[in-house]
């Protein structure tokens, strides 16, 4: 097969999913991840409709994902005195199947390593230079190497997109809100509740624990790699907040804060480099990112295999099929829904959950978007791996990943 040596940047969801499918189809796959370990935690992610379920089933992880599901818990919207104003059904926030991002990442890591993918943790790409026969890649720590193809699956702030396409400001649009995730002490365990003031929202409690903050703001300057600096921004944004807000903000630990932004690209490939997941069409907190990434990984690997590694044809087929499906990511802004900037906007948002015909109409739109693509039945060389078997096979790789070492067989393949 042509162009069989592939480097993927990013080990969250799209990267390991693509690594699994490529490795099963006979490609030599290396995943490089800046974090020294697989990243645990993070917000819950969900899947909607038959298309997402079918991808999980064909990947061989539906049973394991179902075993870790976290959805189904209703959330109260409360006023400053803690009185219930409306209830958000668990089926709305959790889709058909919800799982912690960290749990899904671990499951995908296990099956991809069992399929033959290799991982390098604690490293990052520093340059990409396309040559006649491949892409010459330099790293922060590893020896430079040449790969046939490079895939950016490294999120909305994609390093690969910056190196291959251009600066982030050309492709990422700030949507006027920020969000933060934070750990909370056990004393905050309790029913899932959400509180709003104009331009500010706090959600805490329930089985997911921790806290989610969403607030309106113009673009801010802070260090995305400093929990202390992100906590500073959070404290300033929530100064004077009502309800239990001040207590929750003060107790928030291990804060992660980022903008609610949207990636806008008309093409996902440039030369031998291609993007999937949030790097290509992200819309923060939009509710479709994980499902889109899983479907994209399945399709891109399938098209590369069907084209015998002819990347131009494969990239074009992936793009032709996916641009329409990913259009849901070009619409909507979770910030204006979660943290309306006026009291009237908050009341109107609450009406959606008080009057169920409005909720049904909104849910139907989302369900239709999640299934608006035809999944090809790409031929597979072998039956799917069962993720429980894969977990046993890769038990040794878990300890390697937790120590930040290259998993499954040493350095990246050349």
């Amino acid at each position: 097969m042509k162009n069989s040596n592939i480097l993927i940047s990013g080990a969250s969801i799209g990267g390991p999913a693509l690594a699994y499918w490529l490795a099963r189809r006979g490609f030599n796959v290396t995943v490089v991840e800046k974090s020294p370990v697989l990243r645990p935690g993070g917000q819950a992610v969900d899947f909607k409709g038959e298309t997402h379920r079918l991808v999980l089933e064909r990947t061989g992880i539906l049973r394991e994902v179902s075993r870790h599901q976290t959805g189904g818990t209703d959330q109260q919207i409360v006023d400053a005195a803690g009185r219930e104003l409306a209830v958000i059904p668990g089926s709305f926030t959790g889709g058909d199947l919800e799982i912690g991002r960290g749990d899904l990442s671990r499951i995908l890591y296990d099956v991809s390593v069992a399929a033959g993918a290799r991982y390098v943790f604690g490293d990052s790409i520093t340059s990409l230079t396309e040559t006649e026969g491949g892409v010459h890649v330099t790293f922060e720590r590893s020896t430079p190497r040449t790969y046939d193809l490079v895939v950016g699956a490294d999120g909305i702030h994609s390093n690969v997109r910056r190196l291959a396409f251009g600066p982030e400001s050309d492709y990422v649009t700030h949507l006027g809100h920020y969000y933060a995730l934070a750990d909370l002490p056990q004393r905050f365990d309790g029913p899932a509740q959400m509180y709003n003031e104009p331009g500010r929202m706090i959600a805490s409690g329930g089985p997911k624990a921790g806290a989610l903050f969403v607030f309106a703001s113009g673009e801010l300057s802070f260090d995305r790699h400093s929990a202390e600096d992100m906590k500073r921004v959070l404290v300033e944004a929530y100064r004077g907040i009502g309800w239990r807000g001040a207590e929750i903000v003060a107790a928030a630990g291990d804060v992660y804060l980022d903008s609610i932004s949207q990636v806008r690209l008309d093409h996902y490939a440039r030369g031998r480099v291609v993007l999937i997941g949030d790097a290509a069409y992200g819309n923060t907190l939009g509710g479709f990112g994980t499902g889109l990434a899983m479907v994209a990984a399945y399709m891109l690997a399938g098209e590369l295999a069907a084209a015998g590694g002819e990347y131009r044809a494969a990239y074009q087929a992936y793009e032709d099929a996916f641009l329409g499906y990913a259009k849901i990511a070009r619409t909507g802004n979770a910030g204006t829904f979660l943290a309306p900037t006026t009291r009237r906007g908050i009341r109107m948002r609450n009406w959606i959950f008080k009057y169920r015909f409005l909720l049904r109409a909104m849910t139907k739109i989302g369900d239709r978007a999640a299934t608006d693509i035809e999944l090809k039945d790409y031929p597979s060389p072998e039956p799917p791996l069962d993720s429980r078997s894969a977990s046993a096979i890769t038990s040794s790789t878990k300890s390697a990943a937790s120590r930040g070492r290259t998993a499954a067989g040493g350095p990246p393949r050349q």
Side-chain angles (χ1 to χ4, degrees):
M1 188 184 299
K2 295 181 179 179
N3 301 310
S4 61
N5 191 21
I6 300 178
L7 175 67
I8 300 171
S9 176
S12 180
I13 304 299
L18 179 62
Y20 165 76
W21 281 113
L22 288 173
R24 276 193 54 209
R25 292 192 163 98
F27 292 86
N28 299 328
V29 186
T30 300
V31 182
V32 61
E33 166 58 45
K34 186 175 182 66
S35 172
V37 295
L38 276 180
R39 292 172 177 165
Q43 65 198 86
V45 298
D46 61 87
F47 298 95
K48 303 176 178 71
E50 183 58 31
T51 300
H52 292 179
R53 180 173 288 270
L54 185 57
V55 166
L56 292 173
E57 190 175 86
R58 289 181 180 176
T59 310
I61 63 172
L62 178 59
R63 181 173 62 174
E64 192 71 358
V65 169
S66 299
R67 194 169 72 86
H68 286 85
Q69 64 179 317
T70 58
T73 301
D74 294 346
Q75 183 178 50
Q76 296 175 306
I77 301 175
V78 299
D79 64 13
R83 294 182 295 252
E84 182 180 295
L85 300 175
V87 175
I88 305 176
S91 58
F92 178 81
T93 57
D96 296 333
L97 188 59
E98 183 187 77
I99 181 172
R101 190 214 61 81
D103 290 334
L104 178 60
S105 179
R106 168 60 67 182
I107 291 168
L108 289 168
Y109 170 80
D110 284 348
V111 295
S112 63
V113 171
R118 301 180 177 211
Y119 284 75
V120 178
F121 292 93
D123 206 353
S124 181
I125 298 170
T126 54
S127 72
L128 299 170
T129 304
E130 186 159 340
T131 65
E132 185 176 342
V135 183
H136 185 70
V137 184
T138 61
F139 300 90
E140 288 182 357
R141 295 175 58 190
S142 300
T143 303
R145 300 173 189 273
T146 297
Y147 296 86
D148 296 320
L149 306 173
V150 175
V151 182
D154 45 354
I156 206 161
H157 300 294
S158 171
N159 182 43
V160 168
R161 186 188 61 230
R162 178 182 62 81
L163 292 170
F165 287 70
E168 181 172 305
S169 58
D170 288 352
Y171 303 104
V172 179
T173 301
H174 175 57
L175 297 181
H177 286 74
Y178 283 80
Y179 77 99
L181 302 168
D183 294 334
L184 289 177
Q186 192 171 359
R187 70 177 185 273
F188 290 96
D189 291 353
Q193 294 182 319
M194 187 172 92
Y195 172 72
N196 279 98
E197 290 180 3
R200 300 192 288 188
M201 182 277 278
I202 297 179
S204 67
K208 301 169 197 175
L212 169 66
F213 305 84
V214 177
F215 62 94
S217 173
E219 293 193 61
L220 299 171
S221 177
F222 62 94
D223 184 354
R224 287 195 300 113
H225 304 291
S226 168
E228 181 179 331
D229 199 33
M230 291 187 284
K231 176 67 178 281
R232 172 190 60 78
V233 173
L234 188 67
V235 169
E236 291 176 359
Y238 282 83
R239 202 174 300 281
I241 191 75
W243 185 52
R244 303 174 64 196
E247 183 185 3
I248 291 173
V249 171
D254 195 21
V255 175
Y256 174 80
L257 184 143
D258 203 352
S259 63
I260 294 182
S261 298
Q262 183 182 88
V263 177
R264 295 173 180 170
L265 279 172
D266 294 326
H267 298 284
Y268 302 147
R270 182 158 294 182
R272 292 174 175 268
V273 179
V274 66
L275 306 174
I276 70 166
D278 284 352
Y281 36 76
N283 188 337
T284 317
L285 300 184
F288 290 90
T290 301
L292 286 171
M294 292 288 293
V295 173
Y298 171 80
M299 293 184 65
L300 178 57
E303 294 296 345
L304 280 166
E310 291 285 358
Y311 70 91
R312 292 182 183 87
Y315 286 178
Q316 189 63 57
Y318 155 62
E319 190 174 283
D320 289 346
F322 215 78
L323 272 170
Y325 185 51
K327 67 181 182 293
I328 186 64
R330 288 179 174 265
T331 62
N333 178 356
T336 58
F337 183 79
L338 293 171
T341 55
T342 65
R343 295 194 181 278
R344 182 173 181 272
I346 293 171
R347 287 196 302 272
M348 292 178 67
R349 192 276 317 279
N350 292 349
W351 288 347
I352 293 173
F353 302 109
K354 292 181 71 173
Y355 302 107
R356 292 307 170 92
F357 74 93
L358 294 173
L359 180 61
R360 285 195 296 271
M362 187 174 179
T363 302
K364 190 174 293 185
I365 293 170
D367 290 347
R368 189 161 53 240
T371 57
D372 189 22
I373 194 170
E374 180 183 353
L375 273 190
K376 293 183 183 179
D377 190 7
Y378 300 105
S380 298
E382 57 188 54
L385 291 166
D386 181 281
S387 58
R388 291 185 179 179
S389 300
S391 295
I393 293 170
T394 62
S395 59
S396 63
T397 70
K398 291 185 179 183
S399 60
S402 68
R403 292 192 299 271
R405 287 165 39 190
T406 301
R413 297 178 185 177
Q414 293 202 36

